[in-house]
């Protein structure tokens, strides 16, 4: 799938990279850049930077970089057309397509086949539920209080007692064994042949926002293990980046999500009218799911089970949601075990009351910490206080919120503020460098070099000069009097210089044109790091020209260094002449108004 140039430009223009990235990753401004924890690799010190002037991002830790489209592709694990569609829908732009190439068509066709296989499997399971073979499954749903309407709404089904019936059905629909395996519906083994792992299970189709079935969850009926089984990850299904019930909840008019643990909790709550309920997919709540929620809602309620596992899950969810700037509320459903049981026994009105009286999630888990300690014992009391204060570090990066919750803890539990400050220092994680402003702040320190691969002291000058040149193309008429593109270091610096100089000579320079002209994806990623320095903020034209002269001189000196290690038989003479040019430039002045 391809798009017109005008359409692509409109998508970029109406999706500011700072707004888009900040909806996924919490960012903090430092200088002209915005910093946060990289979503593409595990790190504890922010090295992920967004540079709004050029609409680019770069991670100085793992080297990933690009524009707003690249970010969405990488974060959402989306193809280029899918990323465009996501951004277009975000900005309310009508999609305009051109004829796509064979590779795109083949990839999309394969994904469409996998989704169709899932859809056909869902139809098989639904029909099976209503047949004599599905009586056991239908009884399970009815015993859980589900109506026929709800069963149909969520497309619930039953797998049957064997794992081969669905394979034969899908074959009869014309699907190949290869694609049935690719969809995660079946596996092929030497002992059992083609067979589905879903048997003797009630089936919960997982549906995306396009109303396509992308996977399944299956609950065993009886004593089999595992109790719940999910589709393995496929080309269309990533359990970390999807949520059960999300296809319905996203369209809810409610301004909040209710986060549950299980499929049945979600279904029961939707049936009771709480149609913004969602759940993770057989795994612990993830940062990717938190980012999905952040894009849609600002309020989240936790309706996790009241047992030990549920309390741990709630604490984890509070911590993860805090990273995207959301502090959820915890719904107490005691004395019942889970929301499904509570609604069945107490009704909708009582659950609404519990929701209305939900407690701040952070303070709730802090109260649970106190429940675990014997506060009459001084040592136990100290350990409790230390753990409570240590939890404040989940707000690291948001100084105001961290200070606010520190004050709440002081008032709630009677802890002197001086003790909280001391314990914050005592529990400070190593990844949080000590900030100058005090114990409840966090320093975002930009890395000093882009990736560790570049060791020359001249590269910062080349990077600064290229950044300045791409920020203010008018200085090119001065720069080109002294430098050519091949004066820059081989690799990303020279590639960026070559394309920049070429576009400036043609009078067609733009940052988008520059990145479009860099064919090597590795160079593109490196370029996003090279071009993230800010043009110097100097108050007089004279000082600016002195700074520009200094950068040009350093690049020229770098060229001398490169020439000295070459095999050129005339290198000594060339270096001598270049040194004369450098000395002349050092003793003179640059003027932006100079004519060529």
């Amino acid at each position: 799938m391809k798009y017109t140039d005008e359409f692509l430009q409109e998508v970029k223009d109406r999706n500011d990279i700072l707004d888009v990235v900040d909806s996924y990753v919490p960012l903090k401004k430092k200088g002209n850049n915005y910093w946060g924890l990289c979503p593409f690799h595990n790190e504890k010190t922010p090295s992920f930077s967004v540079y709004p002037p050029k609409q680019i991002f770069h991670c100085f830790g793992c080297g990933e970089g690009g524009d707003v489209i690249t970010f969405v592709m990488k974060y959402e694990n989306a193809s280029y057309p899918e990323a465009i569609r996501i951004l277009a829908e975000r900005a309310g732009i009508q999609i305009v397509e051109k004829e796509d190439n064979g590779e795109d068509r083949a990839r999309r066709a394969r994904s469409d086949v996998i989704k169709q296989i899932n859809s056909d499997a869902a139809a098989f399971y639904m029909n099976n539920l209503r047949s004599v073979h599905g009586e056991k499954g239908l009884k399970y749903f009815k015993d859980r209080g589900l109506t026929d309407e709800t069963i149909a709404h969520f497309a619930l089904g039953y797998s049957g007692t064997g794992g081969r019936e669905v394979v034969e059905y899908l074959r009869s629909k014309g699907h190949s064994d290869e694609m049935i395996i690719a969809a995660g519906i079946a596996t092929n083994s030497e002992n059992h042949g083609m067979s589905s792992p879903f048997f003797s299970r009630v089936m919960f189709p997982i549906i995306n926002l396009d109303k396509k079935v992308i996977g399944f969850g299956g609950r065993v009926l009886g004593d089999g293990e595992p109790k719940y089984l999910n589709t393995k990850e496929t080309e269309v299904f990533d359990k970390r980046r999807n949520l059960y019930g999300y296809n319905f909840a996203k369209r809810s008019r409610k301004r909040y999500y209710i986060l549950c643990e299980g499929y049945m909790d979600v279904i029961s709550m939707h049936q009771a009218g709480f149609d913004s309920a969602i759940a993770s997919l057989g795994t612990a709540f993830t940062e990717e799911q938190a980012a999905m929620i952040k894009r849609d809602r600002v309020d989240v309620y936790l309706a996790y089970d009241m047992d030990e596992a549920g309390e741990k899950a709630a604490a984890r969810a509070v911590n993860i949601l805090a990273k995207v700037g959301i502090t959820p509320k915890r719904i107490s459903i005691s004395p019942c075990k889970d929301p499904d049981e509570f609604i069945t026994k107490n009704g909708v009105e009582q659950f609404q009351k519990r929701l209305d009286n939900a407690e701040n999630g952070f303070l709730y888990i802090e109260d649970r910490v106190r429940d675990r300690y014997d506060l009459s014992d001084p040592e136990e009391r100290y350990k409790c206080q230390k753990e409570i204060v240590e939890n404040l570090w989940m707000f690291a990066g948001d100084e105001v919120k961290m200070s606010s919750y520190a004050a709440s803890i002081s008032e709630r539990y009677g802890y002197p503020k001086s003790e909280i400050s001391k314990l914050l220092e005592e529990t400070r994680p190593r990844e949080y460098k000590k900030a100058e402003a005090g114990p409840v702040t966090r320093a975002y320190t930009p890395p000093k070099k882009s990736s560790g691969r570049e060791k020359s002291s001249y590269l910062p000058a080349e990077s600064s000069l290229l950044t300045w040149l791409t920020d203010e193309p008018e200085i090119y008429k001065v720069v080109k009097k002294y430098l050519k593109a091949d004066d820059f270091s081989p690799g990303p610096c020279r590639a960026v210089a070559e394309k920049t100089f070429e576009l400036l000579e043609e009078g067609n320079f733009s940052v988008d044109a520059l990145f479009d002209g860099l064919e090597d994806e590795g160079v593109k990623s490196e370029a996003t790091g090279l071009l993230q320095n800010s043009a110097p903020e100097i108050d007089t034209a004279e000082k600016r020209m002195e700074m520009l002269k200094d950068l040009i001189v350093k690049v020229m000196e770098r060229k001398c260094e490169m020439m000295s290690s070459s095999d050129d038989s005339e290198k000594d003479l060339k270096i001598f002449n270049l040194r004369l040019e450098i000395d002349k430039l050092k003793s003179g002045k640059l003027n932006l108004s100079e004519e060529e």
Side-chain angles (χ1 to χ4, degrees), residues 37-45 47 59 61-62 240 287-288:
L37 296 174
C38 179
F40 307 123
H41 80 287
N42 293 324
E43 65 174 6
K44 297 186 177 179
T45 300
S47 61
C59 176
C62 67
R240 293 181 61 85
E287 293 181 9
E288 292 86 351

Side-chain angles (χ1 to χ4, degrees), residues 78-93:
S79 65
Y80 182 81
E82 289 169 339
I84 296 297
R85 186 176 296 275
I86 290 169
L87 290 169
E89 291 176 352
R90 181 182 185 275
I93 304 171

Side-chain angles (χ1 to χ4, degrees), residues 481-495:
K481 290 170 65 69
Y482 303 95
L483 297 174
K484 300 187 295 296
D486 61 6
D487 293 334
F488 289 78
S489 299
C493 278
R494 184 173 294 175

Side-chain angles (χ1 to χ4, degrees), residues 327-381:
T327 303
K329 294 185 177 182
R330 177 66 154 117
I331 302 173
S332 173
I333 48 179
S334 181
C336 296
K337 177 180 178 294
D338 55 41
D340 180 27
E341 179 186 344
F342 185 95
I343 291 174
T344 300
K345 289 184 177 180
N346 301 287
V348 173
E349 289 185 6
Q350 287 301 314
F351 186 84
Q352 182 64 54
K353 287 182 180 179
R354 294 293 180 97
L355 188 150
D356 293 339
N357 294 316
E359 187 177 357
N360 178 286
F362 176 79
L363 297 178
Y364 178 88
I365 65 171
E366 297 290 59
D367 285 347
R368 301 293 75 75
V369 170
R370 286 170 62 86
D371 290 344
R372 299 201 309 270
Y373 289 94
D374 177 4
L375 300 182
S376 65
D377 183 318
E379 182 63 23
E380 288 274 293
R381 188 166 62 250

Side-chain angles (χ1 to χ4, degrees), residues 110 113-115 117-118 176-187 194 214 231-237:
R110 183 176 171 86
V113 169
I114 290 175
K115 292 173 185 175
I117 289 173
N118 282 324
S176 68
D177 287 359
E178 176 194 356
M179 294 307 295
I180 294 172
I181 292 171
I185 298 296
T187 58
M194 283 286 290
I214 59 174
T231 298
K232 68 176 185 178
E233 293 196 358
T234 70
E235 294 165 46
V236 302
F237 179 58

Side-chain angles (χ1 to χ4, degrees), residues 413-432:
Y413 305 131
Y415 298 159
K417 293 180 180 179
S418 59
E419 289 183 12
I420 293 177
S421 295
K422 289 178 182 178
L423 285 172
L424 275 169
E425 288 303 319
E426 188 176 326
T427 60
R428 180 187 295 274
R430 281 183 296 178
E431 63 266 24
Y432 299 143

